[in-house]
């Protein structure tokens, strides 16, 4: 899969460079948070918040996952488990969001409000194009992969492997 031309990892490198550090920071945050919940020390919660904040800055996907997961865990602890872990959870979530807010503020101050707003508009346009299911795009993608002139015959080995794995 790394050598697949459609993925273009070797050409762009962005897929690997953003995912691996983001995942490492995300998992490091959970490890620090688990240690903090076990020892009930707020220093571990602060470290978890900083690691979560760095993960959010590395990949924006974590901006959705981390606050939602911490919020649900916070509610579970508050109403069901009642272990008093809500302090570490709240500290980690607040620090993670503070890291994101500080990064956005710094970008706006460094680049200026006009350039920052123009970048946000471009991101909105890209998000509108890349989200959702479009039948025409899906059909052309299937034709590109399964077409006889695609030149990617080795990709066909993935389909039997997935079928075998599902079986």
């Amino acid at each position: 899969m790394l050598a697949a031309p459609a993925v273009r990892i070797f050409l762009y490198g962005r897929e690997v460079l953003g995912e691996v550090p983001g995942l490492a920071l995300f998992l490091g945050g959970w490890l620090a948070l688990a240690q903090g919940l076990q020892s009930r020390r707020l220093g571990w919660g602060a470290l978890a918040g900083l690691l979560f904040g760095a993960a959010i800055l590395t990949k924006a996907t974590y901006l959705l996952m981390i606050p939602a997961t911490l919020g649900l865990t916070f509610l579970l602890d508050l109403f069901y488990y009642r272990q008093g872990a809500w302090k570490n959870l709240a500290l980690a979530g607040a620090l993670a969001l503070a890291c994101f807010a500080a990064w956005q503020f710094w970008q706006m101050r460094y680049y200026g409000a006009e350039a920052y707003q123009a970048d946000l508009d471009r991101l909105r346009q890209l998000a509108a194009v890349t989200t959702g299911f479009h039948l025409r795009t899906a059909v052309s993608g299937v034709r590109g992969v399964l077409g006889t002139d695609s030149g990617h015959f080795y990709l066909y080995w993935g389909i039997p492997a997935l079928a075998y794995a599902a079986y």
Side-chain angles (χ1 to χ4, degrees):
M1 286 184 61
L2 287 176
V7 179
R8 298 180 186 211
I9 286 178
F10 294 128
L11 180 62
Y12 297 122
R14 175 93 168 91
E15 292 85 352
V16 173
L17 292 177
E19 295 294 336
V20 173
L23 183 63
L25 292 166
F26 178 71
L27 293 176
W30 281 111
L31 186 64
L33 186 63
Q35 187 68 27
L37 294 178
Q38 188 175 15
S39 67
R40 297 187 187 270
R41 298 176 111 181
L42 291 178
W44 287 106
L47 177 63
L50 292 175
L51 289 171
F52 286 150
I56 289 171
L57 297 181
T58 304
K59 288 304 266 184
T61 308
Y62 293 115
L63 181 60
L64 299 173
M65 286 191 319
I66 290 171
T69 306
L70 289 176
L72 290 174
T73 309
F74 176 85
L75 290 174
L76 274 173
D77 181 63
L78 197 61
F79 295 114
Y80 183 74
Y81 290 113
R82 298 181 185 174
Q83 298 294 313
W86 63 271
K87 293 176 187 173
N88 267 322
L89 293 168
L91 179 62
L95 276 175
L97 292 176
C99 287
F100 176 73
W103 177 252
Q104 295 301 317
F105 178 74
W106 179 83
Q107 283 185 336
M108 188 172 62
R109 297 285 295 165
Y110 183 78
Y111 293 112
E114 296 84 21
Y116 182 77
Q117 187 62 40
D119 285 344
L120 284 180
D121 291 339
R122 271 180 268 175
L123 282 174
R124 276 191 209 101
Q125 289 173 350
L126 286 172
V129 171
T130 58
T131 56
F133 177 77
H134 302 288
L135 183 61
R136 185 173 45 121
T137 308
V139 169
S140 68
V142 169
R143 282 186 187 156
V145 172
L146 298 178
T148 57
D149 59 341
S150 69
H152 305 297
F153 180 75
Y154 68 94
L155 290 175
Y156 291 122
W157 289 102
I159 295 171
L162 288 175
Y164 180 74
Y167 173 73

